[in-house]
Each structure stands twice: as structure tokens, then as C-alpha cells.
Amino acid sequence: ALELFRQMQLKGLAPDKVTFISVLDACACLAALSEGMQSHARIIDSKFEEDVVVGTALVDMYGKCGRLDDARSVFDKMPQ
């Protein structure tokens, strides 16, 4: 998933929310915090941050990477 995401970026393809969710899941499984944080920045730029499913994937990724404060911060910003 991460390699496909990199290839998409190199080709200038814009990821959708399903792509971001898959990438965040891969980051969570691999404890790839750096890649997850880079994806979070792209999510903010892409305006998907307020999507509840994307937010849940971010919370999961940060939690599995041991960044509970970041997970809580994302959770607190999610729409009700």
C-alpha cells in the first residue's frame, strides 16, 4: 500500500479518502509513524481531515504507533 501510494504521488495522482485510509492502515500495521505523519499532512491539505472514517484511521495509526496524545488530539477534533 505504501509503495503504491508513493507511485501515485510520483505520477501526480491525487489520493482520495479510501487511498488515505489504506495508507494509514498500512502505517499502523508497520508502526511507520513518519509515513503516517506525512500522510496526515496530505490529508489536511486535501481537506479530508473532517471525514469521520479518515479521522478514525488517523486515531488508529497514532495509537498503534504509540502517540496517544496525537491520537487524542485527532479524536477531539473529529465532528460529533
Side-chain angles (χ1 to χ4, degrees):
L2 294 178
E3 183 56 35
L4 284 173
F5 184 62
R6 287 185 193 107
Q7 290 176 18
M8 284 180 64
Q9 290 177 319
L10 290 174
K11 293 181 180 183
L13 299 173
D16 61 8
K17 73 178 192 174
V18 175
T19 303
F20 281 124
I21 292 166
S22 297
V23 168
L24 291 170
D25 183 55
C27 291
C29 290
L30 298 170
L33 180 61
S34 178
E35 290 86 350
M37 292 177 80
Q38 290 172 17
S39 295
H40 189 178
R42 297 267 332 253
I43 288 166
I44 292 168
D45 291 342
S46 300
K47 309 294 186 215
F48 289 120
E49 189 177 32
E50 297 201 13
D51 184 281
V52 174
V53 180
V54 173
T56 301
L58 280 165
V59 169
D60 183 59
M61 184 275 298
Y62 279 123
K64 288 181 178 174
C65 289
R67 299 289 294 259
L68 300 182
D69 289 340
D70 290 325
R72 180 59 191 247
S73 177
V74 170
F75 179 81
D76 288 342
K77 292 176 185 174
M78 289 172 58
Q80 301 275 335

